């Protein structure tokens, strides 16, 4: 307390002096000045002394202080009359911002009642720093604000007054802002931020500054607050593509929805100012819009259609990006899409020309077809190799790329392979490779290079004699591996002679089917076998032919009866044989000899007695024909014995002949040979000499006949008639002849009306006529063809 008094003493003294004089002038009013914020007991003034009161009587006179304030800030020590601070006085509380602050005290003294007024001037002490309402505050400024713009900031407040009050503001250093402090008309200060440099939210979205308010006290006090300038976005940035130019590669036939590229444009702005939407640029062609899609939000470019390398190998996609802020500007970007080829096109095979059928004798190297291949793919995917199977007589030649010729590599044979199905395989070099097959059907056309072939090297035909003329006796078949007319066969019989007669008078052949017909009835006894040659000829140009031998064997039939050769009847009488009466049993009386023209069993003869004067006297040996006596002859036996012997062959049915023989029993045998004067034959047979003569005559006649036939051919008028006077029908030739041997023959040749052409057939042929000496027996032989009529001959008994 004492110190405080000491400290304030010089001032108090002056104040006290001033107060005293004032007291004297104006009914004693005193005034003290005391700084605020003094502690309890601090000395304010010696009020008793200043009022001229007796200190000792203060209590008795009931000295007291009354003040209008709620609180008793000041108190007087009644013992020494000193006014002191009772409670700490806060000037700012008491007087707020008033420049002068007084505590008015009323001093009351009784006995006598005296009233004094005391003014205590509360002096300001710089006890308050300037303060801001918030320790930090946010200022929002658009980044588009122009430099020089001012933004008022919150003022600080200092309850102190006078020089202790707020003096100025200051700002921490900033690149963008400065502070301007201004005074209002009442002298109070306020500060404004001045934008010095343009703001860029995209560079710095907020700026922090410290604003400090300083008062004028000694020492000065300050208070500060943090200013945060938040930069508000303006749509001042356009989107920027990550790359100005995108280059992507895409496999053709990429499935729908495959992503090509994700565009990434960035916009430094925020909110809708930075919200980018992607789309095609205005000049993106329609084709591109059909094939690709752009996701407006994500910027993904995806495949929408079918991408075909063969249609276009590169696409340029123009896209744009635009933010959604006001007055947005679009930026453009190009995406270059290289389409990569995929081996998706199989090669194509084009047969430019096909020459088929090809002749089987075509020389190797003959061009069958010209083949061109193409593949729409590129690179190896479009390089094509062509091949055909190796096991065929064909080759592929290539002279320049993608063109091939299909040629024969060896001789063809239609009879082995008549057509080739050549599969041409074209395969590209892609991976995996694609291939195409095309079949070329090459037909081999026939060339007459094969002669007909008979199924057997030779044929044997067996015909029973006396066969019906015109019947089929056999057939031959040939085959020809060629085709069509080159394999169309016709059969014919080659010219030749059989026993001096043309073969064509013996047999004929059906030219279509090879059936062989006998033209006459064969006689085993005359002709046992013969050969003909049959030719088969195809209809090719030139024709080819081959021939085969057909051996015809005539089989025997029992058509000849036995002929008795001995004993021969003599001059129309029965043969007679002498038998001596004295002979013993078993005596060989005679031997019957017979012949049979047939063969085998048909000519195996047996003899038997069919009639006898005395059955028990003579027997004939079954196979030898020997007549022997059975017993001795008796005197009573007749001298003239007659035997009839039957000679029978072994055929089926058997044929027979019989002979009568007279046996004369004589007492002595004469030296002469037996006499056959009385023999009579039942059937005559030509001697073998006669037979030979007939054959040779027939041959001569045949030659003669041939000469006539030639004549007939040469004459246009076929009404030729060479005749010795006999009446014959037209179209017939009658040939008569005589010989010195008293044998006559007669041939008659007739032509059919249809055979006016060179086609010439015998209708009827009387081939032989036998006339035996002493008889008028005559043999006619007819051969007739089925389709022709049979005519009997008018040629009879030439001799007569
Ligand atoms: C776009 O690019 C920016 C900056 O390069 C990157 O941060 C962001 O992840 C990208 N966005 C996409 C979707 O790739
Ligand atoms: C040829 O061969 C091919 C394949 O082997 C087949 O498809 C085609 O039908 C054949 N052509 C003929 C005419 O046989
Ligand atoms: C018949 O064939 C033989 C051999 O096959 C041949 O030598 C002959 O000339 C042929 N004859 C005719 C008339 O074709
Ligand atoms: C045949 O008989 C007749 C009359 O009997 C006779 O004239 C003739 O000479 C006889 N001929 C022979 C060859 O015996």
């Amino acid at each position: 307390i004492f110190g405080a008094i000491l400290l304030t003493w010089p001032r108090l003294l002056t104040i006290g002096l001033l107060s005293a004089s004032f007291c004297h002038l104006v009914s004693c009013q005193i005034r003290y000045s005391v700084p605020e914020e003094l502690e309890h007991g601090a000395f304010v003034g010696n009020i008793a002394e200043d009022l001229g009161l007796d200190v000792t009587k203060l209590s008795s006179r009931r000295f007291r202080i009354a003040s209008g304030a709620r609180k008793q800030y000041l108190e007087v020590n009644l013992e020494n009359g000193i006014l002191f601070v009772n409670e700490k006085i806060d000037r700012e509380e008491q007087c707020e911002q008033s420049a002068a602050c007084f505590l008015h005290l009323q001093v009351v003294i009784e006995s006598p009642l005296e009233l004094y007024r005391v003014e205590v001037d509360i002096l300001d002490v710089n006890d308050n720093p300037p303060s801001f309402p918030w320790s930090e505050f946010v200022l929002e400024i658009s980044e588009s604000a122009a430099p020089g713009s001012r933004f008022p900031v919150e003022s600080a407040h200092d309850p102190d007054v006078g020089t202790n009050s707020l003096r100025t503001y200051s700002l921490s250093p900033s690149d963008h802002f400065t502070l301007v402090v201004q005074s209002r008309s009442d002298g109070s200060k306020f500060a404004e931020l001045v934008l010095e440099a343009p703001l860029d939210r995209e560079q710095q979205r907020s700026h922090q500054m410290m604003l400090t308010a300083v008062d004028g006290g000694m020492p000065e006090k300050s208070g500060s607050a943090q200013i945060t300038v938040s930069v508000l976005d303006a749509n001042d940035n356009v989107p920027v593509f990550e790359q100005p130019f995108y280059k992507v590669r895409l496999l053709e036939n990429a499935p729908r929805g495959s992503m090509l590229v994700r565009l990434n444009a960035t916009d430094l702005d925020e909110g809708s100012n930075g919200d980018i939407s992607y789309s095609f640029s205005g000049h993106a062609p329609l084709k591109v819009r059909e094939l690709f899609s752009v996701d407006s939000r994500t910027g993904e470019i995806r495949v929408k259609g079918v991408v075909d390398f063969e249609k276009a190998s590169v696409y340029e996609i123009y896209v744009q990006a635009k933010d959604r802020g006001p007055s947005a500007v679009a930026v453009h970007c190009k995406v270059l899409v290289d389409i990569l080829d995929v081996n998706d096109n199989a090669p194509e095979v084009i047969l430019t020309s096909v020459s088929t059928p090809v002749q089987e004798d075509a020389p190797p190297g003959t061009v069958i077809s010209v083949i061109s291949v193409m593949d729409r793919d590129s690179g190896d995917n479009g390089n094509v190799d062509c091949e055909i199977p190796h096991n065929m007589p064909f080759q592929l030649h290539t002279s320049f790329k993608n063109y091939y010729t299909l040629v024969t590599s060896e001789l063809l044979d239609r009879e082995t392979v008549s057509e080739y199905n050549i599969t041409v395989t074209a395969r590209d070099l892609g991976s995996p490779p694609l291939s195409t097959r095309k079949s070329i059907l090459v037909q081999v056309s026939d060339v007459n290079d094969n002669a007909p072939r008979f199924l057997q090297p030779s044929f044997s035909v067996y015909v029973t004699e006396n066969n019906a003329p015109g019947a089929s006796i056999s057939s031959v078949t040939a085959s020809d591996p060629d085709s069509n007319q080159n394999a169309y066969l016709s059969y014919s019989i080659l010219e030749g002679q059989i026993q001096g007669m043309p073969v064509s008078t013996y047999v004929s052949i059906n030219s279509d089917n090879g059936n062989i017909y006998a033209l006459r009835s064969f006689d085993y006894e005359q002709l046992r076998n013969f050969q003909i040659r049959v030719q088969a000829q195809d209809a090719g140009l030139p024709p080819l032919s081959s021939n085969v031998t057909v051996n015809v064997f005539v089989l025997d039939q029992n058509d000849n009866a036995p002929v008795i050769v001995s004993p021969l009847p003599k001059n129309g009488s029965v043969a007679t044989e002498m038998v001596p009466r004295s002979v013993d049993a078993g005596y060989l009386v005679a031997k019957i000899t017979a012949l049979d023209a047939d063969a085998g069993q048909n000519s195996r003869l047996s003899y038997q007695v069919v009639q006898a004067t005395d059955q028990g006297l003579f027997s004939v040996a079954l196979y030898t024909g020997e007549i022997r006596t059975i017993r001795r002859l008796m005197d009573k036996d007749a001298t003239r014995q007659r035997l009839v012997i039957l000679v029978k062959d072994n055929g089926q049915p058997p044929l027979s002949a019989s002979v009568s023989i007279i046996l004369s029993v004589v007492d002595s045998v004469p030296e002469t040979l037996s006499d056959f004067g009385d023999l009579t034959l039942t059937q005559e047979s030509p001697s073998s000499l006669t037979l030979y003569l007939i054959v040779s005559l027939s041959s001569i006649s045949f030659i003669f006949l041939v000469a006539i036939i030639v004549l007939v051919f040469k004459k246009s008028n076929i009404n030729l008639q060479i005749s010795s006077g006999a009446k014959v029908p037209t179209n017939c030739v009658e040939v008569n002849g005589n010989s010195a041997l008293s044998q006559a023959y007669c041939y008659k040749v007739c032509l059919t009306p249809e055979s006016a052409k060179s086609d010439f057939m015998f209708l009827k042929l009387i081939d032989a006529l036998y006339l035996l000496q002493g008889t008028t027996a005559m043999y006619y032989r007819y051969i007739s063809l089925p389709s022709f009529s049979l005519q009997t001959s008018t040629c009879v008994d030439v001799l007569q």
Side-chain angles (χ1 to χ4, degrees):
I1 294 166
F2 189 68
I5 294 168
L6 284 177
L7 270 172
T8 51
W9 181 250
R11 272 173 81 184
L12 288 174
L13 196 60
T14 19
I15 293 167
L17 285 173
L18 280 170
S19 302
S21 57
F22 183 71
C23 186
H24 284 287
L25 294 172
V26 190
S27 80
C28 206
Q29 179 160 356
I30 49 177
R31 186 171 172 183
Y32 296 105
S33 291
V34 64
E36 60 175 332
E37 302 289 328
L38 290 180
E39 295 298 318
H40 171 81
F43 172 83
V44 177
N46 195 335
I47 193 167
E49 191 184 280
D50 293 337
L51 290 176
L53 300 175
D54 184 6
V55 176
T56 57
K57 294 188 180 155
L58 288 180
S59 295
S60 54
R61 291 186 68 182
R62 298 189 44 161
F63 181 94
R64 65 182 187 272
I65 294 171
S67 76
R70 289 170 283 114
K71 282 184 180 170
Q72 195 66 38
Y73 287 111
L74 298 169
E75 203 64 70
V76 175
N77 188 342
L78 293 180
E79 294 189 355
N80 55 14
I82 288 175
L83 186 67
F84 65 93
V85 175
N86 183 39
E87 250 186 84
K88 194 184 270 187
I89 306 164
D90 185 6
R91 194 200 72 85
E92 285 74 29
E93 187 185 332
Q94 201 64 34
C95 304
E96 299 193 346
Q97 283 300 116
S98 309
C101 182
F102 294 101
L103 272 179
H104 297 279
L105 303 175
Q106 311 229 338
V107 176
V108 181
I109 295 178
E110 294 174 11
S111 23
L113 181 67
E114 288 177 50
L115 204 61
Y116 300 96
R117 290 175 63 96
V118 176
E119 274 184 348
V120 179
D121 185 8
I122 313 292
L123 299 174
D124 186 40
V125 170
N126 192 19
D127 58 347
N128 286 295
S131 69
F132 289 94
W134 299 285
S135 63
E136 60 171 284
F137 46 89
V138 176
L139 202 59
E140 289 189 328
I141 303 174
S142 167
E143 61 177 325
S144 59
S149 307
R150 294 178 172 224
F151 305 94
V153 294
E154 196 79 31
S155 297
H157 174 70
D158 192 332
D160 294 330
V161 294
T163 56
N164 289 339
S165 73
L166 190 128
R167 183 171 54 87
T168 187
Y169 293 94
S170 68
L171 190 68
S172 62
S174 159
D175 292 339
H176 290 84
F177 293 97
T178 54
L179 198 68
V180 175
V181 181
Q182 311 236 43
S183 297
R184 296 196 186 87
S185 50
D186 63 347
S188 64
K189 304 274 176 42
F190 67 96
E192 282 177 335
L193 284 179
V194 180
L195 183 64
E196 293 293 334
L199 292 174
D200 187 358
R201 191 201 66 82
E202 288 75 33
Q203 262 180 14
Q204 201 175 352
R205 55 194 312 144
S206 71
H207 300 265
Q208 312 272 337
M209 286 163 288
M210 201 58 108
L211 180 65
T212 310
V214 186
D215 62 17
M218 280 287 287
E220 63 180 18
K221 288 187 181 255
S222 65
S224 53
Q226 179 164 310
I227 299 179
T228 302
V229 173
S230 168
V231 183
L232 293 182
D233 186 46
N235 194 16
D236 56 346
N237 283 287
V238 291
V240 176
F241 277 104
E242 199 178 28
Q243 292 168 239
F245 172 76
Y246 290 83
K247 186 164 173 150
V248 292
R249 305 170 130 214
L250 179 70
L251 284 180
E252 66 170 326
N253 304 331
R256 270 159 211 233
S258 335
M259 191 170 83
L260 269 77
V261 66
R262 179 194 287 261
L263 298 175
N264 190 3
T266 44
D267 189 323
L268 298 174
D269 294 329
E270 63 178 2
S272 63
N273 292 338
D275 194 2
I276 297 173
S277 106
Y278 302 89
S279 62
F280 285 114
S281 291
H283 49 277
L286 185 68
K287 185 77 214 163
V288 165
R289 290 170 195 258
E290 282 170 1
L291 282 182
F292 303 102
S293 68
V294 177
D295 189 314
S296 68
R297 202 177 46 77
T298 60
E300 289 168 354
I301 299 186
R302 291 180 184 274
V303 177
K304 191 166 99 180
V306 177
V307 183
D308 189 357
F309 173 84
E310 285 70 37
K311 287 186 183 155
S313 62
V314 72
Y315 287 98
E316 287 185 350
I317 307 178
Y318 291 94
V319 284
Q320 65 178 27
K322 199 171 169 183
D323 62 40
R324 295 178 209 267
S327 62
V329 176
V331 290
H332 299 271
C333 162
K334 184 165 98 173
V335 180
L336 190 72
V337 186
D338 270 337
I339 308 294
L340 302 181
D341 187 37
V342 167
N343 195 16
D344 60 341
N345 286 288
E348 278 179 65
V349 178
I350 300 149
L351 305 179
T352 312
S353 71
V354 180
S355 51
T356 177
V358 58
Q359 292 233 344
E360 60 179 318
D361 60 352
T366 304
V367 175
I368 306 294
S369 175
V370 176
I371 301 165
S372 62
V373 294
M374 57 172 279
D375 192 309
R376 298 177 61 218
D377 292 322
S378 67
D380 271 355
N381 293 341
N383 279 344
V384 182
D385 275 347
C386 225
E387 62 176 25
I388 57 169
H390 297 298
N391 54 356
M392 289 189 169
F394 298 95
Q395 279 178 347
L396 270 186
H397 288 168
T398 178
S399 38
F400 49 99
K401 191 172 152 65
N402 288 351
Y403 279 88
Y404 297 87
T405 47
L406 179 68
V407 299
T408 57
S409 61
E410 40 192 272
L411 277 174
L412 308 177
D413 183 15
R414 190 204 65 84
E415 286 72 37
T416 317
V417 185
S418 66
E419 66 175 35
Y420 292 91
N421 186 358
I422 308 173
T423 304
V424 180
T425 307
R427 182 178 286 109
D428 62 29
L429 305 181
S431 65
L434 293 176
S435 63
T436 303
R437 288 158 195 276
K438 197 135 194 174
S439 297
I440 305 177
L441 198 67
V442 176
Q443 272 159 343
V444 182
S445 66
D446 190 42
V447 165
N448 194 19
D449 55 353
N450 284 286
R453 271 187 50 206
F454 283 96
L455 302 185
Q456 290 166 241
S458 68
F459 292 84
S460 294
V461 179
Y462 299 91
V463 192
T464 309
E465 63 175 332
N466 302 323
N467 53 308
S472 165
I473 56 169
S474 178
S475 95
V476 293
T477 314
S479 65
D480 191 323
D482 290 327
S483 75
N484 294 331
Q485 64 168 17
N486 292 339
Y488 181 79
L489 299 183
S490 63
Y491 300 90
S492 60
I493 293 176
L494 293 179
E495 284 295 326
Q497 294 220 328
I498 301 171
Q499 294 185 340
M501 298 285 282
V503 167
S504 51
T505 64
Y506 282 79
V507 287
S508 70
I509 193 162
N510 184 327
S511 66
D512 289 336
N513 58 21
N515 280 353
I516 298 175
Y517 300 95
L519 293 182
R520 61 169 81 183
S521 193
F522 298 126
D523 185 359
Y524 174 81
E525 287 71 35
Q526 282 184 53
L527 182 62
R528 299 201 166 185
N529 62 66
F530 58 91
Q531 275 192 348
I532 56 174
R533 291 192 76 78
V534 174
Q535 185 187 53
Q537 188 178 57
D538 60 32
L541 259 175
L544 294 175
S545 65
S546 62
N547 57 46
V548 72
T549 302
V550 179
N551 290 306
V552 181
F553 296 96
V554 180
L555 300 181
D556 184 42
Q557 232 183 10
N558 194 20
D559 59 345
N560 286 288
V563 174
I564 310 290
V565 177
S566 102
L568 277 172
K570 250 188 187 169
N571 201 359
S573 62
V574 179
T576 307
E577 205 65 54
M578 309 284 196
V579 184
R581 192 174 288 273
S582 56
V583 295
D584 293 332
Y587 173 76
L588 175 64
V589 177
K591 186 174 188 310
I592 309 289
T593 310
L595 290 177
D596 193 311
D598 293 324
Q601 291 292 329
N602 292 338
S603 63
R604 193 164 160 234
L605 301 179
S606 60
Y607 302 84
Q608 66 188 102
V609 177
V610 290
Q611 244 182 336
T613 310
D614 186 345
Q615 290 285 346
L617 201 50
F618 297 102
S619 70
V620 63
L622 187 57
Y623 296 118
T624 59
E626 290 172 353
I627 302 170
R628 290 178 188 271
T629 53
I630 299 176
R631 59 176 171 80
R632 287 184 65 93
L633 292 171
M634 310 283 189
D635 287 342
K636 61 176 172 71
D637 291 328
T639 54
R640 202 178 145 85
Q641 297 277 342
R642 190 166 179 274
L643 285 178
V644 178
I645 312 281
L646 182 73
V647 186
K648 199 167 72 170
D649 62 26
N650 205 22
Q652 278 298 337
L655 294 177
S656 60
S658 59
V659 61
S660 296
I661 184 166
I662 304 285
L663 299 178
S664 307
V665 180
V666 292
D667 290 334
S668 59
V669 183
E671 292 296 314
T672 55
L673 287 171
S674 58
D675 170 51
F676 287 94
D678 281 327
L679 283 176
T680 304
L681 290 177
T682 52
Q683 194 173 347
E684 281 81 15
S685 157
S687 68
S688 58
L689 175 67
T690 316
L691 205 63
Y692 289 137
L693 285 172
I694 289 169
V695 168
S696 53
L697 277 172
S698 299
S699 304
I700 294 163
S701 310
F702 181 77
I703 294 164
F704 186 48
L705 179 66
V706 168
I708 290 164
I709 292 164
V710 169
L711 274 174
V712 170
F713 270 120
K714 285 183 176 170
K715 287 241 178 184
S716 58
N717 179 11
I718 51 174
N719 251 335
L720 177 69
Q721 189 169 335
I722 301 172
S723 174
S724 60
K727 203 180 170 200
V728 289
T730 54
N731 290 357
C732 289
V733 174
E734 189 171 55
V735 181
N736 292 322
N738 273 306
S739 79
L741 293 171
S742 298
Q743 289 190 336
Y745 50 86
C746 174
Y747 292 110
K748 186 173 163 194
V749 178
C750 291
L751 302 181
T752 59
E754 299 91 329
S755 59
K757 305 184 284 177
S758 63
D759 196 4
F760 169 87
M761 298 288 281
F762 290 106
L763 171 66
K764 189 176 358 172
L765 174 63
I766 306 170
D767 68 339
L769 172 64
Y770 303 108
L771 291 176
L772 293 177
Q773 192 176 13
T775 69
T776 55
M778 192 163 52
Y779 290 85
Y780 292 95
R781 299 236 169 149
Y782 296 102
I783 290 192
S784 65
L785 291 170
S787 52
F788 300 100
S789 61
L790 184 72
Q791 273 189 300
T792 50
S793 174
T794 56
C795 183
V796 289
D797 201 348
V798 180
L799 277 186
Q800 288 171 358

